[in-house]
Amino acid sequence: MSSSNMKGKDLVNHHQGPLSVGAGSRSLIIDDEDHNNQHQHQHHNQNQNLNQNQNRQSPAPLSRYESQKRRDWNTFCQYLKNQRPPVNVMSQCTPNNVLDFLRYLDQFGKTKVHIQGCVFFGQPEPPGPCTCPLRQAWGSLDALIGRLRAAYEENGGPPETNPFASGVIRMYLREVRDTQAKARGVPYKKKKKKRSQLKAAAAAAVLVASSSNTSAGSSRFPMQSPS
């Protein structure tokens, strides 16, 4: 074989080698792109499933009332645990423990309650300062007892032994309301006023109905003029 033929074969083989490698490299690139696309698709599906699971598992945000009720319940339970000896809220708590808790809260109150000897006694807006104590407002205590009464039953307490629904607690709240009303000159007669207004409206409605019935009866039987 001549040297010219050998050189021709070497050139052919030389060109065929890189061309075959080039075709293989293109197929590898295509395979890698497919693999990346599949991986991204799977990753996207995993993220979607994770977000859906989180949405299912995450509870709805508590309302302002529910959040306050939970804080009040935790505060009361902690108060009982700090007693010596500690008191179990479900098996040992009595209305007396609730009364002690309400009196304990008075030290954090911001409502001025004038005593009998104070010159500002009975004034809703005193013109100057005095040394009368600060107490929890009656409205705040009443709302607190309502939340604790509900929380006690929601946590498994039986309604018939609910210490927050005791008559002793209702009597204490009534005394606090009357005392603060006298000391601050705040009347609590809104309910009576509403009832009197309802009675007056009902009486007026009866009068209107009776007058309309009378006029309707006279129209049914008109007087006939003599012929």
Side-chain angles (χ1 to χ4, degrees):
M1 183 179 294
S2 62
S3 60
S4 59
N5 292 334
M6 290 294 295
K7 290 181 180 180
K9 289 183 180 180
D10 291 339
L11 291 174
V12 171
N13 292 335
H14 176 73
H15 288 296
Q16 287 178 351
L19 285 175
S20 62
V21 174
S25 63
R26 284 195 298 271
S27 63
L28 290 175
I29 292 173
I30 294 174
D31 293 341
D32 289 340
E33 290 178 352
D34 293 339
H35 179 72
N36 291 334
N37 291 334
Q38 292 177 359
H39 179 72
Q40 290 177 358
H41 184 68
Q42 292 176 357
H43 184 68
H44 179 70
N45 292 336
Q46 290 176 356
N47 289 336
Q48 284 184 339
N49 294 333
L50 181 61
N51 293 332
Q52 291 176 357
N53 292 332
Q54 289 178 351
N55 292 332
R56 293 194 196 99
Q57 295 176 0
S58 60
L62 296 177
S63 64
R64 182 177 180 181
Y65 170 79
E66 293 295 333
S67 299
Q68 185 64 50
K69 182 173 62 176
R70 178 177 295 183
R71 287 194 296 268
D72 293 337
W73 178 253
N74 292 335
T75 301
F76 180 72
C77 292
Q78 187 62 44
Y79 170 81
L80 294 183
K81 288 180 181 179
N82 293 338
Q83 302 303 304
R84 295 292 179 268
V87 179
N88 185 280
V89 66
M90 291 300 175
S91 61
Q92 298 175 322
C93 181
T94 66
N96 289 330
N97 297 123
V98 180
L99 291 178
D100 292 339
F101 177 67
L102 296 179
R103 297 188 183 103
Y104 161 79
L105 293 178
D106 271 335
Q107 62 182 310
F108 309 107
K110 298 180 181 180
T111 299
K112 178 76 70 173
V113 180
H114 304 289
I115 60 177
Q116 286 283 350
C118 180
V119 295
F120 302 137
F121 184 84
Q123 298 186 23
E125 296 180 1
C130 64
T131 58
C132 293
L134 296 176
R135 295 287 185 260
Q136 291 284 344
W138 164 78
S140 299
L141 294 179
D142 186 61
L144 171 66
I145 289 299
R147 292 190 295 268
L148 291 176
R149 182 172 61 245
Y152 177 84
E153 296 180 9
E154 289 174 1
N155 284 274
E160 58 272 11
T161 59
N162 193 330
F164 304 99
S166 171
V168 177
I169 304 302
R170 291 195 298 269
M171 185 180 299
Y172 175 80
L173 292 176
R174 192 179 303 115
E175 292 176 354
V176 171
R177 183 194 66 181
D178 295 341
T179 300
Q180 293 188 3
K182 293 178 181 178
R184 303 175 60 214
V186 180
Y188 288 102
K189 298 181 180 180
K190 295 182 179 180
K191 293 184 178 180
K192 294 182 180 180
K193 185 177 180 181
K194 290 182 179 179
R195 288 176 183 174
S196 61
Q197 289 177 350
L198 290 175
K199 289 181 180 179
V206 171
L207 290 175
V208 171
S210 60
S211 62
S212 63
N213 291 334
T214 302
S215 60
S218 60
S219 62
R220 289 194 194 99
F221 304 99
M223 293 181 63
Q224 295 181 357
S225 58
S227 57

